[in-house]
Amino acid sequence: MRILIICLLSIVTVIQAQHAPGIVDEKKDAKHRTLDKPAPPEDPALAAYGIYAENAPTPEVGEPMTTKLPLVLKKGDRIAFVGNTLLDRGGQFGFFEAMLYQSHPDLD
């Protein structure tokens, strides 16, 4: 029984060494099938639709807005949250909106 377990562990070790992470076999696809077909030829007509570092347009420079704190809100003002997933997840809980309404209850 011990000999069989040692043999099985040796086989697993050999298989893992052959398929080590980070080593990519360029002749196989994602389903580990051998690729017999050559890469498709590049179409020069499609190059017009690509944005590359050499010819990418640069954004216009905008002027910074001056702001003053504390923020003064008026009745009917709309507030937009611009940001990443942190603000998106904040909409699921509503803590910030609740504090905003508590601090300005008469502004709707």
Side-chain angles (χ1 to χ4, degrees):
M1 187 70 163
R2 290 183 186 177
I3 296 172
L4 178 63
I5 293 173
I6 293 172
C7 290
L8 288 176
L9 289 176
S10 299
I11 292 171
V12 170
T13 306
V14 169
I15 291 172
Q16 287 176 349
Q18 290 175 351
H19 300 289
I23 299 174
V24 177
D25 189 1
E26 295 178 354
K27 297 179 183 176
K28 304 279 184 179
D29 66 358
K31 292 184 178 180
H32 204 64
R33 296 181 295 198
T34 304
L35 297 175
D36 297 331
K37 299 178 184 177
E42 292 187 19
D43 187 359
L46 295 177
Y49 299 104
I51 297 177
Y52 305 101
E54 304 86 39
N55 60 0
T58 56
E60 296 179 13
V61 178
E63 294 296 323
M65 289 184 64
T66 57
T67 58
K68 60 181 180 179
L69 294 175
L71 182 64
V72 178
L73 298 175
K74 297 179 223 127
K75 190 169 181 100
D77 280 350
R78 295 177 184 234
I79 299 172
F81 301 118
V82 179
N84 55 12
T85 312
L86 180 65
L87 292 172
D88 186 47
R89 295 267 308 172
Q92 296 176 357
F93 303 104
F95 297 125
F96 181 75
E97 288 136 353
M99 290 191 307
L100 191 63
Y101 277 113
Q102 283 180 347
S103 61
H104 303 284
D106 54 335
L107 297 182
D108 294 331

